[in-house]
Amino acid sequence: MENPAANAMVHKPGHPRAAVVVLVASALLLGLWGAWRSFGPIPPNARERLEAQERRIDTLEQQATTLARSDQISRKANQDLQATLSDRVEEIASLRADVAFYERFVGAAGQRHGLSVHELRLKPQGSPGVWHFVATLTQNQIRDAMSSGRLELALEATSAGRMRTFDWNALRQQPRASGIDYAFKYFQQVEGDILLPAGAEPVRVIVRLQPKAGSVVEQSFGWSEAAGDGDAEGAQTHASQARGG
């Protein structure tokens, strides 16, 4: 006699053995697919594609280097341009000052002035205490008249706690130093060197003009302005004419 329970177990659908077979088959298929992906045949144009990518990388690197260098050049060119513009502005200002100077002392409509010191400039030199001076002399009172004579400087300074005046001989370190000759019709720049006495703290410079004909002319300029960067008009406002012709 057959056992109904045993027959039921044999013919029951969805037996676990079938599920195991399906899982094993699936795993084999996945493994084969992965192996094919990893070890499958290389595309015929893989090397060309790799070389093309490498060339592209080289091109991009070269472009980046070129752009960086171009940026540096542009920055340097811009700095040079700014410096050039600054120099041109200063040059234009200087030329305008020269034109105003010429119009004032040479122009037909300019005011008449006798012999005078328009400007005094002082600059330190390499040796201690040595200063180079440039004095601009002018006159337009008499047209086409020649002014000639000699120029000397004197220095008012504090020394050992008191005010002293050092004459031309002391500033030139010579017992009987000759003045510097000048001769001009309208203007002239006279220059030379002086040596400050040891321990002297300069306060004022006196320019003394001794013309061949006429009275002595003296004008004083503050040392800080004559030796600084102030303009000529600023220095001239502090100049005083003691005697003039």
Side-chain angles (χ1 to χ4, degrees):
M1 182 176 182
E2 295 182 358
N3 189 347
N7 292 334
M9 291 181 62
V10 173
H11 299 287
K12 186 176 180 180
H15 195 274
R17 184 178 297 175
V20 172
V21 172
V22 173
L23 289 175
V24 172
S26 299
L28 289 173
L29 290 175
L30 288 174
L32 291 173
W33 181 79
W36 182 86
R37 292 280 294 179
S38 300
F39 304 101
I42 300 175
N45 63 340
R47 181 175 299 276
E48 290 77 4
R49 292 173 61 183
L50 179 60
E51 292 176 351
Q53 293 296 331
E54 290 177 349
R55 289 195 298 271
R56 179 60 176 166
I57 292 173
D58 292 340
T59 301
L60 292 176
E61 289 179 345
Q62 291 177 2
Q63 290 179 354
T65 302
T66 302
L67 290 174
R69 180 58 180 165
S70 177
D71 181 67
Q72 293 177 354
I73 295 174
S74 298
R75 290 175 182 271
K76 182 62 169 60
N78 185 60
Q79 293 175 354
D80 294 342
L81 177 60
Q82 293 296 329
T84 301
L85 289 175
S86 178
D87 292 342
R88 293 298 176 266
V89 170
E90 293 181 0
E91 183 178 359
I92 291 172
S94 177
L95 290 174
R96 287 177 175 173
D98 290 343
V99 170
F101 173 83
Y102 297 145
E103 290 179 345
R104 179 175 180 180
F105 293 100
V106 182
Q111 296 180 354
R112 296 289 186 265
H113 296 276
L115 179 62
S116 63
V117 184
H118 175 68
E119 180 184 38
L120 176 66
R121 285 285 178 243
L122 293 157
K123 289 186 177 181
Q125 302 302 292
S127 302
V130 178
W131 288 74
H132 185 77
F133 70 87
V134 179
T136 303
L137 312 182
T138 64
Q139 83 82 29
N140 65 350
Q141 192 171 46
I142 303 176
R143 292 287 182 177
D144 296 327
M146 180 67 71
S147 296
S148 60
R150 289 189 174 182
L151 175 148
E152 297 180 357
L153 298 184
L155 177 69
E156 293 182 357
T158 58
S159 179
R162 62 190 182 92
M163 184 69 71
R164 293 186 56 186
T165 299
F166 299 93
D167 62 12
W168 180 247
N169 295 330
L171 298 179
R172 297 286 285 188
Q173 298 288 297
Q174 297 176 12
R176 290 184 296 275
S178 299
I180 300 178
D181 294 332
Y182 67 83
F184 64 94
K185 286 185 178 182
Y186 298 108
F187 62 90
Q188 181 183 0
Q189 286 188 326
V190 180
E191 54 187 299
D193 296 312
I194 59 174
L195 177 63
L196 301 186
E201 297 182 3
V203 176
R204 185 177 295 104
V205 183
I206 301 171
V207 183
R208 186 174 186 270
L209 303 178
Q210 176 60 69
K212 291 183 178 180
S215 303
V216 174
V217 174
E218 288 186 356
Q219 289 181 234
S220 62
F221 297 81
W223 177 271
S224 60
E225 296 187 34
D229 296 328
D231 56 24
E233 294 297 328
Q236 191 176 18
T237 57
H238 292 271
S240 59
Q241 182 171 338
R243 296 183 298 275

